[in-house]
């Protein structure tokens, strides 16, 4: 949230571009920690995760996920909570493995996933935990564009620059109007 606060406080045109390091955009939540040392913090952590997804979804600037590599589980949800997604074409998988991890989606998280993919893709990817590459993610409308690794961040920045002058208050109002039920579910889970 501190990084998002810093971006949000900036003045003038702006956009948010997120990316990962190495061969991963993000694998999401550290389940080993969550089931072990972090077990006593699960409720608090769940509230914070929902708050984070809500913040990405309603961020007062255009957001673009530069998916430079593998994007799994809660990491995939974070990417889907953003306005646009550029995915690597030459390597890296998108995957919602919760069915295999025995971690059901909350209502708020499921609503994010449902907003970003068509019903047949939703059914397939959520119930199978199947991994898909960039081209299929674009075909299923999960990602907006796919490019080779070296072009992921530049393409995301290009998309962000093209939309960075949008009025922040108007963006928030439009995002809230587009997703009222999703936002209500995330707000309820963040309490």
């Amino acid at each position: 949230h501190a990084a998002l606060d810093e971006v949000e406080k900036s003045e003038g045109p702006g956009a948010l571009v997120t990316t990962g390091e190495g061969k991963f955009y993000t694998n999401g939540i550290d389940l080993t920690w969550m089931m072990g040392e972090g077990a006593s913090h699960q409720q608090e952590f769940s509230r914070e995760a929902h708050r984070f997804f809500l913040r990405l979804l309603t961020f007062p600037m255009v957001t673009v996920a530069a998916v430079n590599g593998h994007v799994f589980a809660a990491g995939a949800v974070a990417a889907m909570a953003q306005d646009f997604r550029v995915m690597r074409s030459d390597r890296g998988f998108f995957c919602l493995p919760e069915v295999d991890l025995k971690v059901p989606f909350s209502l708020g998280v499921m609503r994010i996933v449902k907003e970003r993919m068509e019903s047949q893709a939703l059914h397939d990817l959520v119930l199978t935990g199947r991994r898909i590459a960039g081209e299929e993610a674009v075909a299923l409308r999960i990602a907006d564009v796919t490019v080779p690794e070296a072009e992921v961040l530049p393409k995301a920045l290009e998309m962000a620059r093209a939309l960075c002058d949008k009025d922040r208050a108007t963006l928030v109002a439009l995002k809230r109007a587009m997703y009222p039920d999703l936002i209500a579910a995330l707000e309820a889970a963040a309490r």
Side-chain angles (χ1 to χ4, degrees):
H1 289 289
L4 293 177
D5 289 343
E6 187 176 330
V7 173
E8 196 170 337
K9 287 178 188 173
S10 67
E11 295 184 16
L16 173 69
V17 175
T18 63
T19 196
E21 294 181 356
K23 65 179 186 174
F24 297 98
Y25 174 77
T26 177
N27 275 338
I29 297 169
D30 181 348
L31 290 178
T32 303
W33 175 83
M34 182 63 81
M35 299 305 171
E37 182 182 325
S40 64
H41 302 286
Q42 283 186 8
Q43 282 188 323
E44 177 186 342
F45 188 85
S46 177
R47 282 192 299 274
E48 283 302 312
H50 284 86
R51 189 171 151 246
F52 177 66
F53 298 145
L54 175 64
R55 189 140 184 222
L56 288 174
L57 185 76
T58 61
F59 203 71
M61 298 176 191
V62 167
T63 59
V64 183
V67 183
N68 58 297
H70 301 308
V71 59
F72 281 57
V77 176
M80 287 190 291
Q82 295 176 62
D83 299 317
F84 303 99
R85 283 149 302 287
V86 176
M87 195 166 166
R88 183 176 170 177
S89 61
D90 49 344
R91 258 185 99 168
F93 291 108
F94 172 96
C95 183
L96 297 170
E98 283 75 5
V99 68
D100 296 320
L101 299 173
K102 300 177 185 164
V103 178
F105 285 132
S106 69
L107 179 60
V109 168
M110 183 57 81
R111 285 187 183 249
I112 292 171
V113 175
K114 286 177 81 169
E115 287 292 339
R116 297 297 191 231
M117 63 177 79
E118 295 175 358
S119 62
Q120 190 55 45
L122 172 79
H123 183 85
D124 176 35
L125 297 178
V126 169
L127 295 184
T128 67
R130 186 169 67 85
R131 298 174 183 191
I132 62 171
E135 294 297 330
E136 188 173 2
V138 170
L140 295 175
R141 298 183 181 173
I142 295 165
D144 298 286
V145 66
T146 182
V147 295
E149 176 188 16
E151 298 172 32
V152 171
L153 186 56
K155 182 64 176 177
L157 291 169
E158 174 189 321
M159 291 171 71
R161 271 190 216 97
L163 299 168
C164 71
D165 62 344
K166 304 299 181 195
D167 179 71
R168 294 177 187 197
T170 302
L171 276 173
V172 171
L174 290 169
K175 290 176 182 185
R176 287 191 166 275
M178 281 193 292
Y179 307 116
D181 295 337
L182 166 54
I183 289 168
L186 290 172
E187 287 174 339
R191 285 190 206 116

